């Protein structure tokens, strides 16, 4: 059942100017072979100072051992491990595709992985650069960080948000942030040269507010979200997880709309989707649906599918429409499910040591990172990371042995 309601357009009074990371796409250069960028008055298309442009995706894994604080970057092209400064006391690790963010009691450490991509719609640029520390954001445990090409927004656990200029982080420094007014019930999400925030006093549904990049409220579309948890940016818009399903926020022709995507039936709180995982660029989202099921949200079709599993779910992800749903279960094996039929179609041998206890006692559970051709699974106790070919019955393509426990993991360069 597909329902569409509370769809109210608005037109902003003005759009804030924002500097993009790369030059415009006029006069495209078809030569995407590797080249070292050097200062020049006639910089080639896609030029980024201090970076090399490559013809293929430059994926890297940022890894952290929560027990010791040891932090490493695994280059998936060369297979080499780069050691970085130790980051202790972090309980989470997130990324925006280039930077790794480590909230700690001292602030949020920012690590530039030196791998990223710029998507211009009709073509993509891939870059690699030196791995380096980028500074310490003034935000501690519970901070939620979201970025686009121009800004990085940090929302504290108390709902206060600050806007950081992306160009400062690229230069290896934090810079002076701009505070965003109001208290936010969830992460503030940059989207379509604006910022999306959910504001409220916590006594009822949070109200959707749209700001320009300077932090000024420009409109309040007719959209609310009760108990917001989870968000994802897709090509179809921003998905915000709500108690009754999801709120999809879209922008077209300077007009924003808010559209509900409700569950088909009443869903108990412990079975609702609260944390989305997906391949960047995909419009298919996954989230655990209680102990023995996974939600799959097809944003294009505005439809939820609940896939029942044959064992407790530890982690899940998918590459998108037509691809297998990959589920790490308590037996330590990856299980592949056909999303349309719900049938299991593939399974690996047990890969993750102690998967049944993962996530207990405050320990981070393993994650499944997915890109255009491979998936990656961390096995902390086994001190390794698996590369999985999800198009070949979950075949193990490579195993990376490590000298740390990769408790936390994100993929960059996508």
């Amino acid at each position: 059942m597909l329902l569409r309601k509370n769809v109210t357009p608005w037109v902003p009074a003005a759009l804030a100017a924002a500097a993009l990371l790369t030059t415009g796409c006029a006069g495209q250069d078809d030569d995407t072979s590797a080249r070292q960028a050097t200062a020049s008055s006639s910089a080639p298309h896609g030029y980024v100072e201090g970076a090399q442009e490559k013809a293929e995706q430059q994926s890297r894994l940022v890894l952290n051992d929560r027990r010791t604080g040891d932090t490493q970057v695994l280059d998936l092209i060369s297979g080499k491990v780069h050691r970085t400064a130790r980051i202790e006391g972090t309980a989470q690790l997130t990324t925006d595709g280039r930077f790794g963010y480590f909230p700690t009691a001292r602030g949020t450490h920012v690590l530039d992985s030196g791998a990223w991509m710029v998507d211009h719609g009709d073509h993509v640029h891939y870059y690699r650069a030196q791995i380096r520390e980028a500074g310490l954001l003034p935000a501690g445990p519970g901070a939620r960080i979201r970025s686009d090409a121009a800004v990085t927004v940090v929302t504290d656990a108390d709902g206060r948000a600050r806007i950081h200029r992306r160009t400062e982080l690229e230069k290896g420094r934090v810079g002076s942030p701009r505070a965003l007014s109001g208290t936010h019930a969830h992460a503030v999400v940059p989207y379509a040269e604006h910022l999306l925030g959910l504001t409220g006093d916590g006594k009822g549904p949070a109200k959707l507010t749209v700001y320009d990049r300077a932090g000024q409220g420009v409109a309040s579309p007719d959209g609310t979200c009760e108990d917001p948890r989870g968000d994802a940016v897709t090509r179809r818009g921003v998905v915000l997880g709500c108690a009754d399903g999801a709120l999809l926020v879209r922008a077209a022709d300077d007009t924003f709309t808010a559209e509900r995507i409700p569950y088909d039936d009443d869903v108990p709180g412990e079975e609702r989707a609260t944390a989305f995982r997906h391949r960047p660029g995909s419009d298919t989202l996954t989230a655990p649906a209680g102990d023995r099921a996974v939600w799959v949200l097809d944003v294009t079709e505005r439809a939820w599918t609940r896939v029942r599993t044959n064992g407790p779910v530890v982690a899940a992800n998918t590459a998108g429409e037509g691809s297998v749903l990959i589920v790490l279960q308590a037996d330590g094996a990856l299980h592949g499910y056909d999303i349309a039929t719900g049938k299991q179609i593939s399974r690996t041998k047990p890969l993750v040591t102690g998967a049944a206890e993962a996530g207990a006692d405050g320990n981070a559970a393993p994650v499944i990172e997915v890109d255009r051709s491979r998936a990656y699974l961390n096995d902390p106790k086994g001190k390794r990371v698996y590369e999985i070919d999800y198009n070949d019955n979950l075949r193990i393509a490579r195993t990376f042995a490590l000298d740390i426990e990769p408790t936390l993991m994100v993929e960059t360069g996508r």
Side-chain angles (χ1 to χ4, degrees), residues 120-158:
H120 290 294
D122 61 341
H123 68 287
V124 177
H125 296 275
Y126 300 106
Y127 298 98
R128 64 186 293 125
Q130 182 179 1
I131 300 167
R132 62 179 179 176
E133 299 292 327
L136 191 68
L137 296 172
R144 293 159 290 187
I145 298 95
R146 305 292 186 267
S147 302
D148 67 2
V151 297
T152 293
V153 183
V154 180
T155 308
D156 291 336
D158 61 7

Side-chain angles (χ1 to χ4, degrees), residues 59-63 72-82 131 376 385 400 402:
S59 293
R60 292 174 175 174
L61 296 178
V62 180
L63 308 167
Q72 300 179 354
V73 178
L74 171 60
D75 190 321
L76 295 171
I77 301 298
S78 66
K80 296 181 178 179
V81 172
H82 302 263
I131 300 167
Y376 296 92
V385 170
F400 299 96
L402 305 168

Side-chain angles (χ1 to χ4, degrees), residues 94-372:
T94 60
T95 186
D96 54 19
R98 173 174 179 175
F99 297 95
Y101 300 96
F102 302 79
T104 72
R106 295 182 55 247
T108 296
H109 291 261
V110 185
L111 176 64
D112 187 347
S113 74
W116 71 97
M117 62 168 283
V118 178
D119 188 350
H120 290 294
D122 61 341
H123 68 287
V124 177
H125 296 275
Y126 300 106
Y127 298 98
R128 64 186 293 125
Q130 182 179 1
I131 300 167
R132 62 179 179 176
E133 299 292 327
L136 191 68
L137 296 172
R144 293 159 290 187
I145 298 95
R146 305 292 186 267
S147 302
D148 67 2
V151 297
T152 293
V153 183
V154 180
T155 308
D156 291 336
D158 61 7
R160 295 179 301 174
R162 296 178 179 87
I163 308 167
H164 294 262
R165 287 176 292 181
R166 182 81 170 189
T167 52
E168 295 294 315
L169 292 179
E170 293 169 355
K171 295 176 182 177
R173 56 177 183 258
V174 170
S176 300
R178 177 183 290 107
L180 189 64
S181 62
T183 300
H184 299 87
H186 189 63
V188 174
V189 182
Y191 171 65
E193 300 185 8
H194 289 74
L195 310 175
L196 306 181
L198 290 167
T199 59
D201 57 9
K203 298 179 180 179
K207 185 173 180 56
L208 177 65
T209 302
V210 181
Y211 307 88
D212 62 24
R213 280 180 173 156
Q216 299 298 315
V218 293
S220 296
D222 184 13
T224 60
C225 182
E226 183 176 353
D227 189 23
R229 296 176 66 186
D231 61 273
V233 179
T234 75
R235 292 184 182 274
R236 302 287 179 177
V238 175
V239 174
L240 303 172
C242 308
D244 61 351
L247 188 69
L248 175 63
V249 184
R250 304 182 67 197
D253 299 327
D254 297 339
T255 299
F256 279 61
T257 59
E259 177 181 351
R260 292 192 182 282
I261 308 177
Y263 298 119
D264 287 343
D265 300 304
D266 291 336
V267 174
E270 64 273 15
E271 295 181 5
R272 60 168 287 204
T274 59
F276 297 109
R277 305 281 300 181
H278 72 305
R279 177 181 63 79
S282 168
D283 297 324
T284 305
L285 310 182
T286 67
D291 186 45
R292 291 175 177 262
V294 175
W295 285 114
V296 178
L297 174 58
D298 186 328
V299 182
T300 302
E301 297 297 329
R302 314 290 200 271
W304 294 92
T305 300
R306 191 179 189 200
V307 178
R308 296 188 180 277
T309 59
N310 56 20
V313 175
V314 178
N317 211 333
T318 183
E321 182 180 1
S323 293
V324 64
L325 171 63
I326 311 170
V327 183
L328 173 64
Q329 297 183 187
D331 61 2
L334 288 178
H335 298 248
Y337 292 88
D338 182 280
I339 296 174
T341 65
K343 294 182 179 180
Q344 179 174 309
I345 57 177
S346 53
R347 180 183 182 277
T348 69
K349 65 181 182 180
L351 301 175
V352 175
T353 307
E357 292 76 39
D361 299 325
N363 294 322
V367 297
I368 302 170
E369 291 284 293
V370 177
D371 60 30
R372 293 177 182 272

